[in-house]
Amino acid sequence: MKFFVDTADIKDITELAATGLLDGVTTNPSLIHKSGRKFLEVVEEICGIVDGPVSAEVVALDHETMMKEAAILRKIADNVAIKVPLTIDGLKTCKALTSDGCMVNVTLCFSANQALLAAKAGATFISPFVGRHDDNGQDGMQLIEDIRLIYDNYNFSTEVLVASIRHPIHVLQSAKIGADVATMPPAVIKSLFNHVLTEKGIAGFLADWEKTGQTIG
Ligand code: G3P
């Protein structure tokens, strides 16, 4: 499963990219607002740090203006994936962009039928929002299972990108279902490394090593 980080914070992206485990970045207008940076500038900077797909979202609601915004975003770098909302105009834009060789991430997906439409529109990624689905009293991970089943039934190449992840259990469940990508807030990625028994084990080994009076090298 690929790991994307869901942020526009350069410090977090740089730190996670240095682990060698980061496969891409997703942003959205709210994350850009949180960064306090200029949209085009921050996307360009992210693309210089991460080789994998960097999602940048259009804000227009009509196809024609979405295409104009996408043209500006595509010029930033080859690894920009244009993020479009799951609407009729968004999917028209998806079809036009992917037919032209551009990566597209279809966002704000809340049903398996929407995911089916996105795959038919040639989406590179579909982003079902599991956390917001849970918040709404529905089962976010069931949505991922349904999409996985449908995509496998028809051999769709659209990658299932689990978004709106809130905690490590969402990551574990995504991996068990066979999602292609999980995009996570930096804190969730960092939490995956931690286990109290790992910490305890290191402390015990180091205490005993000290007693040997040895050094390596
Ligand atoms: O980038 C889209 C998605 O991951 C948003 O997450 O936590 O705002 O629902 P959240």
Side-chain angles (χ1 to χ4, degrees):
M1 187 168 68
K2 293 174 199 165
F3 278 19
F4 288 6
V5 66
D6 196 29
T7 187
D9 185 303
I10 296 294
K11 191 169 163 282
D12 281 326
I13 293 168
T14 306
E15 186 187 347
L16 289 164
T19 65
L21 301 177
L22 189 64
D23 302 299
V25 178
T26 50
T27 68
N28 62 39
S30 303
L31 293 169
I32 298 298
H33 173 64
K34 196 173 166 195
S35 76
R37 300 271 313 269
K38 293 247 183 235
F39 182 29
L40 302 190
E41 279 174 25
V42 78
V43 170
E44 186 174 6
E45 195 171 344
I46 296 168
C47 289
I49 300 167
V50 177
D51 292 334
V54 175
S55 291
E57 189 159 344
V58 297
V59 290
L61 296 178
D62 66 285
H63 171 63
E64 201 181 313
T65 319
M66 281 183 188
M67 289 299 291
K68 284 183 188 154
E69 291 178 354
I72 293 166
L73 297 172
R74 287 177 73 177
K75 276 195 209 133
I76 296 174
D78 289 342
N79 56 328
V80 168
I82 304 299
K83 211 172 177 187
V84 298
L86 209 152
T87 59
I88 291 178
D89 285 70
L91 292 187
K92 270 173 74 178
T93 305
C94 172
K95 182 92 183 160
L97 291 173
T98 53
S99 302
D100 193 35
C102 178
M103 289 187 287
V104 175
N105 178 356
V106 177
T107 190
L108 290 165
C109 170
F110 292 94
S111 82
N113 278 336
Q114 287 183 317
L116 178 57
L117 290 168
K120 285 177 69 66
T124 316
F125 304 104
I126 181 69
S127 288
F129 278 29
V130 292
R132 293 191 195 186
H133 213 51
D134 292 350
D135 293 344
N136 197 40
Q138 285 160 304
D139 185 347
M141 296 317 301
Q142 183 60 53
L143 175 59
I144 304 304
E145 271 188 44
D146 291 347
I147 297 171
R148 178 76 283 156
L149 177 70
I150 290 167
Y151 281 12
D152 288 350
N153 280 348
Y154 297 99
N155 284 323
F156 282 124
S157 58
T158 301
E159 295 190 35
V160 181
L161 190 168
V162 184
S164 188
I165 281 180
R166 300 279 167 75
H167 49 69
I169 304 296
H170 276 151
V171 183
L172 178 64
Q173 290 170 322
S174 300
K176 285 168 88 170
I177 292 167
D180 301 286
V181 189
T183 190
M184 298 165 263
V188 173
I189 299 189
K190 289 175 194 171
S191 76
L192 300 178
F193 289 91
N194 301 333
H195 198 288
V196 65
L197 292 181
T198 305
E199 298 299 321
K200 203 175 161 189
I202 290 171
F205 285 154
L206 286 186
D208 287 339
W209 178 248
E210 202 139 305
K211 290 175 206 155
T212 70
Q214 299 178 52
T215 55
I216 298 176

